[in-house]
Amino acid sequence: MNTRLINLNTKLAAEEVDAVLITKVPNVTYFSGFRGDSSALIIGKNVRKLITDGRYTEQAVREAKGFTLVEQTEGLRKKIVEELKLSGFKRVGIEGLVMTVAEHAYLKKELAGVEFKSLELDTLRQVKDAAEIDCIREACRIADETFTKVLPVIKPGVREFEVAAELEYFMRRLGSERAAFTTIVASGWRGALPHGTASDKKICAGELVTMDFGATFNGYCSDITRTICVGRASDKQRKIYNAVLDAQLYGLTVITAGKGGKDIDAAVRDRLTTAGYGDYFVHGLGHGVGLEIHEEPRLSKLSKCERLLPNMIVTDEPGIYVGNFGGVRIEDTVLVTAGEAQPLTRSPKNLIEL
């Protein structure tokens, strides 16, 4: 049994459940290796089942080594109930944060003698193994090369969605399975929108342009943001940019194993406050990256992470957003170590003036 399943079974024992039903796609992939959707795992003592349908049976045989394949033909929910009845489990863990009310009601109705307990499984994915880190490194390499290739595309008159299309095209050409999330390209006043996904706005001379994008390799994501200026930056633009860059570089020194997510966020937030921009930093400093683009641990005011551990992967992404003016964000995907965080995205962070 691999380490992931050992850790899962340890959790099941601690939670005093006989088995767990897993339906969240990233968790199905993490524990079984299977990368299809519309499927489920039932994992308990001496039981490892993958329930899927005819679209995925061949794929499942290749990917889900060590799992018994159960093919459903009349609906996933119905087959889950059948398999849980056959198992005789009395206490079953479920992913309460993602299971719908309707799905839970169905299980309780069909399995009246079974007690269900909500479990948090995502935290088991926080510390990455060597293979996961290698995949994220490659996704970061693709994103870095894409940034270099897209710079000649950015010029006055080009629309934001054209830049986004080029980013996604280059990532695919360089080996990305898909964009890790909806690509953000925000120019001029739209840079004040932290999640300003690309629009039909034309980029103008003298504007800052923020690009937030990521590649996916073997299911694992990267996340990078760079802000450039089309033409020579004004003094105000340069001052804001330098404040963000200073905070981002400082973040690399405080994102360290042993520190809590709230404390790390507060340290960088204080840095921006000292520079006069605390009120303009409106989101958390970072988030975990892996099979999902946003996962645990979080680096924010609301973080539940009491201490980072080596080989966690998070983002370091302070930003300043000024209404009716624009904004700057600089972001790296970073590897947590016992010392300073190691950036896995390596694109230049000096202010680029095109």
Side-chain angles (χ1 to χ4, degrees):
M1 187 182 300
N2 64 38
T3 301
R4 298 179 188 184
L5 291 175
I6 291 172
N7 291 340
L8 177 59
N9 278 298
T10 299
K11 183 175 182 65
L12 299 187
E15 297 284 355
E16 299 182 328
V17 296
D18 303 320
V20 62
L21 169 65
I22 301 174
T23 54
K24 183 177 178 179
V25 173
N27 289 337
V28 170
T29 297
Y30 184 76
F31 292 110
S32 71
F34 174 65
R35 295 185 58 194
D37 56 16
S38 303
S39 304
L41 301 179
I42 298 175
I43 299 176
K45 187 176 182 180
N46 301 320
V47 174
R48 294 194 295 276
K49 293 183 178 181
L50 167 61
I51 305 173
T52 190
D53 60 67
R55 296 172 298 167
Y56 292 120
T57 50
E58 179 65 22
Q59 179 181 341
V61 169
R62 294 175 180 273
E63 295 178 345
K65 304 297 184 183
F67 278 75
T68 300
L69 177 61
V70 178
E71 184 174 332
Q72 64 87 1
T73 58
E74 298 180 352
L76 181 60
R77 291 197 305 180
K78 182 177 180 181
K79 182 58 72 173
I80 287 171
V81 167
E82 291 176 4
E83 293 299 320
L84 287 175
K85 283 181 177 178
L86 285 173
S87 71
F89 295 135
K90 297 301 181 183
R91 301 193 77 222
V92 176
I94 57 173
E95 298 172 289
L97 292 177
V98 295
M99 180 174 285
T100 67
V101 173
E103 289 166 345
H104 185 240
Y106 178 82
L107 290 178
K108 290 189 69 174
K109 176 184 176 183
E110 298 297 323
L111 298 163
V114 177
E115 179 184 349
F116 294 100
K117 182 177 182 179
S118 179
L119 303 184
E120 172 56 75
L121 302 183
D122 290 7
T123 54
L124 295 177
R125 304 191 341 245
Q126 291 181 103
V127 177
K128 272 52 178 182
D129 61 32
E132 292 179 290
I133 293 171
D134 285 345
C135 288
I136 296 172
R137 283 187 190 277
E138 179 61 13
C140 289
R141 185 201 65 77
I142 292 169
D144 280 334
E145 192 170 342
T146 292
F147 177 69
T148 299
K149 288 182 175 296
V150 83
L151 289 177
V153 174
I154 305 169
K155 56 190 65 176
V158 174
R159 297 183 186 275
E160 291 174 350
F161 61 63
E162 293 178 84
V163 177
E166 294 291 339
L167 285 166
E168 293 172 13
Y169 168 76
F170 286 129
M171 285 193 290
R172 290 300 298 267
R173 285 294 301 267
L174 292 167
S176 177
E177 297 164 355
R178 55 177 173 79
F181 52 94
T182 303
T183 300
I184 292 171
V185 178
S187 61
W189 68 268
R190 295 191 72 254
L193 308 176
H195 277 190
T197 55
S199 73
D200 64 353
K201 177 188 173 301
K202 289 182 179 180
I203 295 170
C204 299
E207 289 186 333
L208 294 170
V209 180
T210 296
M211 294 170 285
D212 187 347
F213 58 99
T216 307
F217 184 78
N218 283 345
Y220 286 85
C221 303
S222 63
D223 197 354
I224 181 173
T225 305
R226 293 293 186 267
T227 301
I228 58 93
C229 190
V230 181
R232 186 167 180 80
S234 68
D235 289 344
K236 182 177 181 178
Q237 289 171 330
R238 192 176 302 278
K239 183 179 178 182
I240 290 173
Y241 190 95
N242 288 338
V244 174
L245 178 58
D246 173 75
Q248 205 270 345
L249 294 174
Y250 179 64
L252 297 177
T253 70
V254 296
I255 296 174
T256 303
K259 293 185 178 179
K262 288 182 179 178
D263 292 338
I264 292 169
D265 176 86
V268 178
R269 197 170 296 278
D270 288 346
R271 190 87 167 190
L272 283 173
T273 298
T274 299
Y277 295 105
D279 291 341
Y280 300 96
F281 181 27
V282 296
H283 54 74
L285 176 66
H287 54 84
V289 177
L291 288 167
E292 296 180 278
I293 192 59
H294 294 107
E295 57 182 50
E296 297 297 329
R298 310 285 172 150
L299 309 179
S300 73
K301 294 178 179 179
L302 303 178
S303 175
K304 298 178 182 178
C305 177
E306 295 183 357
R307 62 189 184 96
L308 294 181
L309 297 174
N311 292 341
M312 287 180 171
I313 291 183
V314 298
T315 62
D316 172 18
E317 52 177 305
I320 293 173
Y321 310 94
V322 182
N324 297 317
F325 174 77
V328 173
R329 182 166 65 255
I330 302 171
E331 173 188 23
D332 285 319
T333 300
V334 305
L335 175 66
V336 177
T337 74
E340 291 188 8
Q342 296 180 5
L344 302 182
T345 41
R346 300 177 179 276
S347 293
K349 287 183 279 195
N350 58 294
L351 178 55
I352 296 173
E353 296 169 303
L354 298 176

mmCIF file with all atom_site columns, all heavy atoms in Angstrom, residues 12-36:
data_model
loop_
_atom_site.group_PDB
_atom_site.id
_atom_site.type_symbol
_atom_site.label_atom_id
_atom_site.label_alt_id
_atom_site.label_comp_id
_atom_site.label_asym_id
_atom_site.label_entity_id
_atom_site.label_seq_id
_atom_site.pdbx_PDB_ins_code
_atom_site.Cartn_x
_atom_site.Cartn_y
_atom_site.Cartn_z
_atom_site.occupancy
_atom_site.B_iso_or_equiv
_atom_site.pdbx_formal_charge
_atom_site.auth_seq_id
_atom_site.auth_comp_id
_atom_site.auth_asym_id
_atom_site.auth_atom_id
_atom_site.pdbx_PDB_model_num
ATOM 1   N N   . LEU A 1 12 ? -8.821  7.427  8.747   1.00 0.00 ? 12 LEU A N   1
ATOM 2   C CA  . LEU A 1 12 ? -10.087 6.719  8.931   1.00 0.00 ? 12 LEU A CA  1
ATOM 3   C C   . LEU A 1 12 ? -10.157 6.094  10.317  1.00 0.00 ? 12 LEU A C   1
ATOM 4   O O   . LEU A 1 12 ? -11.206 6.115  10.979  1.00 0.00 ? 12 LEU A O   1
ATOM 5   C CB  . LEU A 1 12 ? -10.260 5.645  7.856   1.00 0.00 ? 12 LEU A CB  1
ATOM 6   C CG  . LEU A 1 12 ? -10.294 6.112  6.397   1.00 0.00 ? 12 LEU A CG  1
ATOM 7   C CD1 . LEU A 1 12 ? -10.642 4.954  5.468   1.00 0.00 ? 12 LEU A CD1 1
ATOM 8   C CD2 . LEU A 1 12 ? -11.267 7.268  6.207   1.00 0.00 ? 12 LEU A CD2 1
ATOM 9   N N   . ALA A 1 13 ? -9.036  5.533  10.768  1.00 0.00 ? 13 ALA A N   1
ATOM 10  C CA  . ALA A 1 13 ? -9.000  4.937  12.103  1.00 0.00 ? 13 ALA A CA  1
ATOM 11  C C   . ALA A 1 13 ? -9.197  6.007  13.177  1.00 0.00 ? 13 ALA A C   1
ATOM 12  O O   . ALA A 1 13 ? -9.945  5.806  14.144  1.00 0.00 ? 13 ALA A O   1
ATOM 13  C CB  . ALA A 1 13 ? -7.677  4.204  12.310  1.00 0.00 ? 13 ALA A CB  1
ATOM 14  N N   . ALA A 1 14 ? -8.540  7.170  12.993  1.00 0.00 ? 14 ALA A N   1
ATOM 15  C CA  . ALA A 1 14 ? -8.669  8.245  13.969  1.00 0.00 ? 14 ALA A CA  1
ATOM 16  C C   . ALA A 1 14 ? -10.091 8.796  14.010  1.00 0.00 ? 14 ALA A C   1
ATOM 17  O O   . ALA A 1 14 ? -10.584 9.200  15.074  1.00 0.00 ? 14 ALA A O   1
ATOM 18  C CB  . ALA A 1 14 ? -7.685  9.370  13.637  1.00 0.00 ? 14 ALA A CB  1
ATOM 19  N N   . GLU A 1 15 ? -10.764 8.802  12.860  1.00 0.00 ? 15 GLU A N   1
ATOM 20  C CA  . GLU A 1 15 ? -12.137 9.305  12.779  1.00 0.00 ? 15 GLU A CA  1
ATOM 21  C C   . GLU A 1 15 ? -13.165 8.245  13.147  1.00 0.00 ? 15 GLU A C   1
ATOM 22  O O   . GLU A 1 15 ? -14.364 8.504  13.171  1.00 0.00 ? 15 GLU A O   1
ATOM 23  C CB  . GLU A 1 15 ? -12.424 9.823  11.364  1.00 0.00 ? 15 GLU A CB  1
ATOM 24  C CG  . GLU A 1 15 ? -11.564 11.010 10.935  1.00 0.00 ? 15 GLU A CG  1
ATOM 25  C CD  . GLU A 1 15 ? -12.002 12.315 11.558  1.00 0.00 ? 15 GLU A CD  1
ATOM 26  O OE1 . GLU A 1 15 ? -13.040 12.322 12.253  1.00 0.00 ? 15 GLU A OE1 1
ATOM 27  O OE2 . GLU A 1 15 ? -11.314 13.332 11.347  1.00 0.00 ? 15 GLU A OE2 1
ATOM 28  N N   . GLU A 1 16 ? -12.683 7.027  13.386  1.00 0.00 ? 16 GLU A N   1
ATOM 29  C CA  . GLU A 1 16 ? -13.536 5.897  13.792  1.00 0.00 ? 16 GLU A CA  1
ATOM 30  C C   . GLU A 1 16 ? -14.633 5.613  12.779  1.00 0.00 ? 16 GLU A C   1
ATOM 31  O O   . GLU A 1 16 ? -15.813 5.467  13.100  1.00 0.00 ? 16 GLU A O   1
ATOM 32  C CB  . GLU A 1 16 ? -14.135 6.142  15.182  1.00 0.00 ? 16 GLU A CB  1
ATOM 33  C CG  . GLU A 1 16 ? -13.081 6.277  16.264  1.00 0.00 ? 16 GLU A CG  1
ATOM 34  C CD  . GLU A 1 16 ? -13.681 6.466  17.652  1.00 0.00 ? 16 GLU A CD  1
ATOM 35  O OE1 . GLU A 1 16 ? -14.774 7.074  17.751  1.00 0.00 ? 16 GLU A OE1 1
ATOM 36  O OE2 . GLU A 1 16 ? -13.075 5.995  18.628  1.00 0.00 ? 16 GLU A OE2 1
ATOM 37  N N   . VAL A 1 17 ? -14.217 5.548  11.492  1.00 0.00 ? 17 VAL A N   1
ATOM 38  C CA  . VAL A 1 17 ? -15.131 5.136  10.431  1.00 0.00 ? 17 VAL A CA  1
ATOM 39  C C   . VAL A 1 17 ? -14.576 3.876  9.778   1.00 0.00 ? 17 VAL A C   1
ATOM 40  O O   . VAL A 1 17 ? -13.369 3.611  9.805   1.00 0.00 ? 17 VAL A O   1
ATOM 41  C CB  . VAL A 1 17 ? -15.329 6.243  9.379   1.00 0.00 ? 17 VAL A CB  1
ATOM 42  C CG1 . VAL A 1 17 ? -15.992 7.469  9.996   1.00 0.00 ? 17 VAL A CG1 1
ATOM 43  C CG2 . VAL A 1 17 ? -14.018 6.638  8.727   1.00 0.00 ? 17 VAL A CG2 1
ATOM 44  N N   . ASP A 1 18 ? -15.477 3.078  9.197   1.00 0.00 ? 18 ASP A N   1
ATOM 45  C CA  . ASP A 1 18 ? -15.070 1.818  8.571   1.00 0.00 ? 18 ASP A CA  1
ATOM 46  C C   . ASP A 1 18 ? -14.478 2.035  7.184   1.00 0.00 ? 18 ASP A C   1
ATOM 47  O O   . ASP A 1 18 ? -13.655 1.239  6.720   1.00 0.00 ? 18 ASP A O   1
ATOM 48  C CB  . ASP A 1 18 ? -16.286 0.882  8.444   1.00 0.00 ? 18 ASP A CB  1
ATOM 49  C CG  . ASP A 1 18 ? -16.947 0.598  9.777   1.00 0.00 ? 18 ASP A CG  1
ATOM 50  O OD1 . ASP A 1 18 ? -16.203 0.413  10.768  1.00 0.00 ? 18 ASP A OD1 1
ATOM 51  O OD2 . ASP A 1 18 ? -18.189 0.584  9.844   1.00 0.00 ? 18 ASP A OD2 1
ATOM 52  N N   . ALA A 1 19 ? -14.930 3.094  6.520   1.00 0.00 ? 19 ALA A N   1
ATOM 53  C CA  . ALA A 1 19 ? -14.504 3.345  5.139   1.00 0.00 ? 19 ALA A CA  1
ATOM 54  C C   . ALA A 1 19 ? -14.836 4.791  4.792   1.00 0.00 ? 19 ALA A C   1
ATOM 55  O O   . ALA A 1 19 ? -15.473 5.510  5.575   1.00 0.00 ? 19 ALA A O   1
ATOM 56  C CB  . ALA A 1 19 ? -15.203 2.398  4.171   1.00 0.00 ? 19 ALA A CB  1
ATOM 57  N N   . VAL A 1 20 ? -14.385 5.199  3.603   1.00 0.00 ? 20 VAL A N   1
ATOM 58  C CA  . VAL A 1 20 ? -14.711 6.536  3.134   1.00 0.00 ? 20 VAL A CA  1
ATOM 59  C C   . VAL A 1 20 ? -15.169 6.463  1.686   1.00 0.00 ? 20 VAL A C   1
ATOM 60  O O   . VAL A 1 20 ? -14.649 5.669  0.891   1.00 0.00 ? 20 VAL A O   1
ATOM 61  C CB  . VAL A 1 20 ? -13.497 7.488  3.257   1.00 0.00 ? 20 VAL A CB  1
ATOM 62  C CG1 . VAL A 1 20 ? -12.332 7.014  2.398   1.00 0.00 ? 20 VAL A CG1 1
ATOM 63  C CG2 . VAL A 1 20 ? -13.875 8.926  2.900   1.00 0.00 ? 20 VAL A CG2 1
ATOM 64  N N   . LEU A 1 21 ? -16.176 7.267  1.371   1.00 0.00 ? 21 LEU A N   1
ATOM 65  C CA  . LEU A 1 21 ? -16.652 7.434  -0.005  1.00 0.00 ? 21 LEU A CA  1
ATOM 66  C C   . LEU A 1 21 ? -16.055 8.722  -0.544  1.00 0.00 ? 21 LEU A C   1
ATOM 67  O O   . LEU A 1 21 ? -16.260 9.787  0.038   1.00 0.00 ? 21 LEU A O   1
ATOM 68  C CB  . LEU A 1 21 ? -18.182 7.509  -0.023  1.00 0.00 ? 21 LEU A CB  1
ATOM 69  C CG  . LEU A 1 21 ? -18.829 7.946  -1.338  1.00 0.00 ? 21 LEU A CG  1
ATOM 70  C CD1 . LEU A 1 21 ? -18.568 6.930  -2.442  1.00 0.00 ? 21 LEU A CD1 1
ATOM 71  C CD2 . LEU A 1 21 ? -20.332 8.168  -1.147  1.00 0.00 ? 21 LEU A CD2 1
ATOM 72  N N   . ILE A 1 22 ? -15.306 8.636  -1.639  1.00 0.00 ? 22 ILE A N   1
ATOM 73  C CA  . ILE A 1 22 ? -14.622 9.792  -2.212  1.00 0.00 ? 22 ILE A CA  1
ATOM 74  C C   . ILE A 1 22 ? -15.181 10.066 -3.599  1.00 0.00 ? 22 ILE A C   1
ATOM 75  O O   . ILE A 1 22 ? -15.149 9.193  -4.470  1.00 0.00 ? 22 ILE A O   1
ATOM 76  C CB  . ILE A 1 22 ? -13.099 9.558  -2.297  1.00 0.00 ? 22 ILE A CB  1
ATOM 77  C CG1 . ILE A 1 22 ? -12.528 9.293  -0.901  1.00 0.00 ? 22 ILE A CG1 1
ATOM 78  C CG2 . ILE A 1 22 ? -12.396 10.756 -2.951  1.00 0.00 ? 22 ILE A CG2 1
ATOM 79  C CD1 . ILE A 1 22 ? -11.061 8.912  -0.907  1.00 0.00 ? 22 ILE A CD1 1
ATOM 80  N N   . THR A 1 23 ? -15.686 11.284 -3.796  1.00 0.00 ? 23 THR A N   1
ATOM 81  C CA  . THR A 1 23 ? -16.265 11.653 -5.090  1.00 0.00 ? 23 THR A CA  1
ATOM 82  C C   . THR A 1 23 ? -15.626 12.905 -5.692  1.00 0.00 ? 23 THR A C   1
ATOM 83  O O   . THR A 1 23 ? -15.806 13.170 -6.876  1.00 0.00 ? 23 THR A O   1
ATOM 84  C CB  . THR A 1 23 ? -17.778 11.886 -4.959  1.00 0.00 ? 23 THR A CB  1
ATOM 85  O OG1 . THR A 1 23 ? -18.014 12.841 -3.913  1.00 0.00 ? 23 THR A OG1 1
ATOM 86  C CG2 . THR A 1 23 ? -18.511 10.595 -4.629  1.00 0.00 ? 23 THR A CG2 1
ATOM 87  N N   . LYS A 1 24 ? -14.909 13.689 -4.888  1.00 0.00 ? 24 LYS A N   1
ATOM 88  C CA  . LYS A 1 24 ? -14.249 14.884 -5.401  1.00 0.00 ? 24 LYS A CA  1
ATOM 89  C C   . LYS A 1 24 ? -13.132 14.465 -6.345  1.00 0.00 ? 24 LYS A C   1
ATOM 90  O O   . LYS A 1 24 ? -12.236 13.701 -5.959  1.00 0.00 ? 24 LYS A O   1
ATOM 91  C CB  . LYS A 1 24 ? -13.690 15.718 -4.252  1.00 0.00 ? 24 LYS A CB  1
ATOM 92  C CG  . LYS A 1 24 ? -13.053 17.026 -4.694  1.00 0.00 ? 24 LYS A CG  1
ATOM 93  C CD  . LYS A 1 24 ? -12.579 17.845 -3.491  1.00 0.00 ? 24 LYS A CD  1
ATOM 94  C CE  . LYS A 1 24 ? -11.895 19.119 -3.932  1.00 0.00 ? 24 LYS A CE  1
ATOM 95  N NZ  . LYS A 1 24 ? -11.446 19.941 -2.780  1.00 0.00 ? 24 LYS A NZ  1
ATOM 96  N N   . VAL A 1 25 ? -13.148 14.976 -7.584  1.00 0.00 ? 25 VAL A N   1
ATOM 97  C CA  . VAL A 1 25 ? -12.246 14.483 -8.624  1.00 0.00 ? 25 VAL A CA  1
ATOM 98  C C   . VAL A 1 25 ? -10.767 14.566 -8.230  1.00 0.00 ? 25 VAL A C   1
ATOM 99  O O   . VAL A 1 25 ? -10.039 13.583 -8.390  1.00 0.00 ? 25 VAL A O   1
ATOM 100 C CB  . VAL A 1 25 ? -12.510 15.214 -9.964  1.00 0.00 ? 25 VAL A CB  1
ATOM 101 C CG1 . VAL A 1 25 ? -11.453 14.834 -10.999 1.00 0.00 ? 25 VAL A CG1 1
ATOM 102 C CG2 . VAL A 1 25 ? -13.904 14.872 -10.485 1.00 0.00 ? 25 VAL A CG2 1
ATOM 103 N N   . PRO A 1 26 ? -10.270 15.698 -7.699  1.00 0.00 ? 26 PRO A N   1
ATOM 104 C CA  . PRO A 1 26 ? -8.849  15.716 -7.322  1.00 0.00 ? 26 PRO A CA  1
ATOM 105 C C   . PRO A 1 26 ? -8.493  14.669 -6.275  1.00 0.00 ? 26 PRO A C   1
ATOM 106 O O   . PRO A 1 26 ? -7.385  14.112 -6.301  1.00 0.00 ? 26 PRO A O   1
ATOM 107 C CB  . PRO A 1 26 ? -8.650  17.139 -6.784  1.00 0.00 ? 26 PRO A CB  1
ATOM 108 C CG  . PRO A 1 26 ? -9.709  17.944 -7.440  1.00 0.00 ? 26 PRO A CG  1
ATOM 109 C CD  . PRO A 1 26 ? -10.888 17.021 -7.526  1.00 0.00 ? 26 PRO A CD  1
ATOM 110 N N   . ASN A 1 27 ? -9.413  14.379 -5.365  1.00 0.00 ? 27 ASN A N   1
ATOM 111 C CA  . ASN A 1 27 ? -9.132  13.373 -4.350  1.00 0.00 ? 27 ASN A CA  1
ATOM 112 C C   . ASN A 1 27 ? -9.204  11.955 -4.917  1.00 0.00 ? 27 ASN A C   1
ATOM 113 O O   . ASN A 1 27 ? -8.442  11.077 -4.510  1.00 0.00 ? 27 ASN A O   1
ATOM 114 C CB  . ASN A 1 27 ? -10.081 13.535 -3.166  1.00 0.00 ? 27 ASN A CB  1
ATOM 115 C CG  . ASN A 1 27 ? -9.770  14.772 -2.348  1.00 0.00 ? 27 ASN A CG  1
ATOM 116 O OD1 . ASN A 1 27 ? -8.650  15.269 -2.372  1.00 0.00 ? 27 ASN A OD1 1
ATOM 117 N ND2 . ASN A 1 27 ? -10.760 15.294 -1.640  1.00 0.00 ? 27 ASN A ND2 1
ATOM 118 N N   . VAL A 1 28 ? -10.114 11.729 -5.859  1.00 0.00 ? 28 VAL A N   1
ATOM 119 C CA  . VAL A 1 28 ? -10.137 10.438 -6.562  1.00 0.00 ? 28 VAL A CA  1
ATOM 120 C C   . VAL A 1 28 ? -8.798  10.213 -7.246  1.00 0.00 ? 28 VAL A C   1
ATOM 121 O O   . VAL A 1 28 ? -8.189  9.141  -7.154  1.00 0.00 ? 28 VAL A O   1
ATOM 122 C CB  . VAL A 1 28 ? -11.295 10.396 -7.585  1.00 0.00 ? 28 VAL A CB  1
ATOM 123 C CG1 . VAL A 1 28 ? -11.159 9.167  -8.488  1.00 0.00 ? 28 VAL A CG1 1
ATOM 124 C CG2 . VAL A 1 28 ? -12.646 10.366 -6.870  1.00 0.00 ? 28 VAL A CG2 1
ATOM 125 N N   . THR A 1 29 ? -8.308  11.248 -7.923  1.00 0.00 ? 29 THR A N   1
ATOM 126 C CA  . THR A 1 29 ? -7.013  11.145 -8.609  1.00 0.00 ? 29 THR A CA  1
ATOM 127 C C   . THR A 1 29 ? -5.877  10.923 -7.625  1.00 0.00 ? 29 THR A C   1
ATOM 128 O O   . THR A 1 29 ? -5.007  10.068 -7.825  1.00 0.00 ? 29 THR A O   1
ATOM 129 C CB  . THR A 1 29 ? -6.750  12.431 -9.416  1.00 0.00 ? 29 THR A CB  1
ATOM 130 O OG1 . THR A 1 29 ? -7.756  12.569 -10.422 1.00 0.00 ? 29 THR A OG1 1
ATOM 131 C CG2 . THR A 1 29 ? -5.385  12.383 -10.080 1.00 0.00 ? 29 THR A CG2 1
ATOM 132 N N   . TYR A 1 30 ? -5.869  11.680 -6.543  1.00 0.00 ? 30 TYR A N   1
ATOM 133 C CA  . TYR A 1 30 ? -4.767  11.625 -5.581  1.00 0.00 ? 30 TYR A CA  1
ATOM 134 C C   . TYR A 1 30 ? -4.618  10.241 -4.963  1.00 0.00 ? 30 TYR A C   1
ATOM 135 O O   . TYR A 1 30 ? -3.503  9.719  -4.826  1.00 0.00 ? 30 TYR A O   1
ATOM 136 C CB  . TYR A 1 30 ? -4.998  12.663 -4.485  1.00 0.00 ? 30 TYR A CB  1
ATOM 137 C CG  . TYR A 1 30 ? -3.881  12.758 -3.480  1.00 0.00 ? 30 TYR A CG  1
ATOM 138 C CD1 . TYR A 1 30 ? -2.688  13.399 -3.805  1.00 0.00 ? 30 TYR A CD1 1
ATOM 139 C CD2 . TYR A 1 30 ? -4.005  12.213 -2.208  1.00 0.00 ? 30 TYR A CD2 1
ATOM 140 C CE1 . TYR A 1 30 ? -1.652  13.498 -2.885  1.00 0.00 ? 30 TYR A CE1 1
ATOM 141 C CE2 . TYR A 1 30 ? -2.979  12.305 -1.281  1.00 0.00 ? 30 TYR A CE2 1
ATOM 142 C CZ  . TYR A 1 30 ? -1.802  12.951 -1.634  1.00 0.00 ? 30 TYR A CZ  1
ATOM 143 O OH  . TYR A 1 30 ? -0.780  13.030 -0.712  1.00 0.00 ? 30 TYR A OH  1
ATOM 144 N N   . PHE A 1 31 ? -5.725  9.642  -4.586  1.00 0.00 ? 31 PHE A N   1
ATOM 145 C CA  . PHE A 1 31 ? -5.649  8.366  -3.864  1.00 0.00 ? 31 PHE A CA  1
ATOM 146 C C   . PHE A 1 31 ? -5.613  7.143  -4.774  1.00 0.00 ? 31 PHE A C   1
ATOM 147 O O   . PHE A 1 31 ? -5.143  6.083  -4.360  1.00 0.00 ? 31 PHE A O   1
ATOM 148 C CB  . PHE A 1 31 ? -6.808  8.246  -2.875  1.00 0.00 ? 31 PHE A CB  1
ATOM 149 C CG  . PHE A 1 31 ? -6.714  9.217  -1.733  1.00 0.00 ? 31 PHE A CG  1
ATOM 150 C CD1 . PHE A 1 31 ? -7.600  10.280 -1.630  1.00 0.00 ? 31 PHE A CD1 1
ATOM 151 C CD2 . PHE A 1 31 ? -5.719  9.095  -0.785  1.00 0.00 ? 31 PHE A CD2 1
ATOM 152 C CE1 . PHE A 1 31 ? -7.507  11.193 -0.592  1.00 0.00 ? 31 PHE A CE1 1
ATOM 153 C CE2 . PHE A 1 31 ? -5.609  10.002 0.269   1.00 0.00 ? 31 PHE A CE2 1
ATOM 154 C CZ  . PHE A 1 31 ? -6.504  11.053 0.362   1.00 0.00 ? 31 PHE A CZ  1
ATOM 155 N N   . SER A 1 32 ? -6.072  7.270  -6.023  1.00 0.00 ? 32 SER A N   1
ATOM 156 C CA  . SER A 1 32 ? -6.116  6.097  -6.895  1.00 0.00 ? 32 SER A CA  1
ATOM 157 C C   . SER A 1 32 ? -5.217  6.203  -8.121  1.00 0.00 ? 32 SER A C   1
ATOM 158 O O   . SER A 1 32 ? -4.861  5.186  -8.719  1.00 0.00 ? 32 SER A O   1
ATOM 159 C CB  . SER A 1 32 ? -7.551  5.844  -7.371  1.00 0.00 ? 32 SER A CB  1
ATOM 160 O OG  . SER A 1 32 ? -7.962  6.830  -8.308  1.00 0.00 ? 32 SER A OG  1
ATOM 161 N N   . GLY A 1 33 ? -4.891  7.435  -8.552  1.00 0.00 ? 33 GLY A N   1
ATOM 162 C CA  . GLY A 1 33 ? -4.164  7.632  -9.798  1.00 0.00 ? 33 GLY A CA  1
ATOM 163 C C   . GLY A 1 33 ? -5.067  7.794  -10.996 1.00 0.00 ? 33 GLY A C   1
ATOM 164 O O   . GLY A 1 33 ? -4.607  8.169  -12.088 1.00 0.00 ? 33 GLY A O   1
ATOM 165 N N   . PHE A 1 34 ? -6.360  7.545  -10.842 1.00 0.00 ? 34 PHE A N   1
ATOM 166 C CA  . PHE A 1 34 ? -7.318  7.642  -11.944 1.00 0.00 ? 34 PHE A CA  1
ATOM 167 C C   . PHE A 1 34 ? -7.691  9.102  -12.184 1.00 0.00 ? 34 PHE A C   1
ATOM 168 O O   . PHE A 1 34 ? -8.021  9.818  -11.255 1.00 0.00 ? 34 PHE A O   1
ATOM 169 C CB  . PHE A 1 34 ? -8.564  6.834  -11.611 1.00 0.00 ? 34 PHE A CB  1
ATOM 170 C CG  . PHE A 1 34 ? -9.679  6.966  -12.607 1.00 0.00 ? 34 PHE A CG  1
ATOM 171 C CD1 . PHE A 1 34 ? -9.518  6.499  -13.906 1.00 0.00 ? 34 PHE A CD1 1
ATOM 172 C CD2 . PHE A 1 34 ? -10.881 7.538  -12.250 1.00 0.00 ? 34 PHE A CD2 1
ATOM 173 C CE1 . PHE A 1 34 ? -10.551 6.608  -14.830 1.00 0.00 ? 34 PHE A CE1 1
ATOM 174 C CE2 . PHE A 1 34 ? -11.917 7.657  -13.157 1.00 0.00 ? 34 PHE A CE2 1
ATOM 175 C CZ  . PHE A 1 34 ? -11.740 7.184  -14.456 1.00 0.00 ? 34 PHE A CZ  1
ATOM 176 N N   . ARG A 1 35 ? -7.663  9.535  -13.462 1.00 0.00 ? 35 ARG A N   1
ATOM 177 C CA  . ARG A 1 35 ? -7.869  10.944 -13.770 1.00 0.00 ? 35 ARG A CA  1
ATOM 178 C C   . ARG A 1 35 ? -9.167  11.234 -14.514 1.00 0.00 ? 35 ARG A C   1
ATOM 179 O O   . ARG A 1 35 ? -9.340  12.323 -15.058 1.00 0.00 ? 35 ARG A O   1
ATOM 180 C CB  . ARG A 1 35 ? -6.673  11.470 -14.562 1.00 0.00 ? 35 ARG A CB  1
ATOM 181 C CG  . ARG A 1 35 ? -5.381  11.467 -13.751 1.00 0.00 ? 35 ARG A CG  1
ATOM 182 C CD  . ARG A 1 35 ? -4.241  12.094 -14.506 1.00 0.00 ? 35 ARG A CD  1
ATOM 183 N NE  . ARG A 1 35 ? -4.574  13.468 -14.879 1.00 0.00 ? 35 ARG A NE  1
ATOM 184 C CZ  . ARG A 1 35 ? -3.884  14.179 -15.769 1.00 0.00 ? 35 ARG A CZ  1
ATOM 185 N NH1 . ARG A 1 35 ? -2.849  13.622 -16.389 1.00 0.00 ? 35 ARG A NH1 1
ATOM 186 N NH2 . ARG A 1 35 ? -4.229  15.408 -16.047 1.00 0.00 ? 35 ARG A NH2 1
ATOM 187 N N   . GLY A 1 36 ? -10.091 10.310 -14.524 1.00 0.00 ? 36 GLY A N   1
ATOM 188 C CA  . GLY A 1 36 ? -11.392 10.580 -15.128 1.00 0.00 ? 36 GLY A CA  1
ATOM 189 C C   . GLY A 1 36 ? -12.333 11.249 -14.145 1.00 0.00 ? 36 GLY A C   1
ATOM 190 O O   . GLY A 1 36 ? -12.011 11.429 -12.968 1.00 0.00 ? 36 GLY A O   1
#
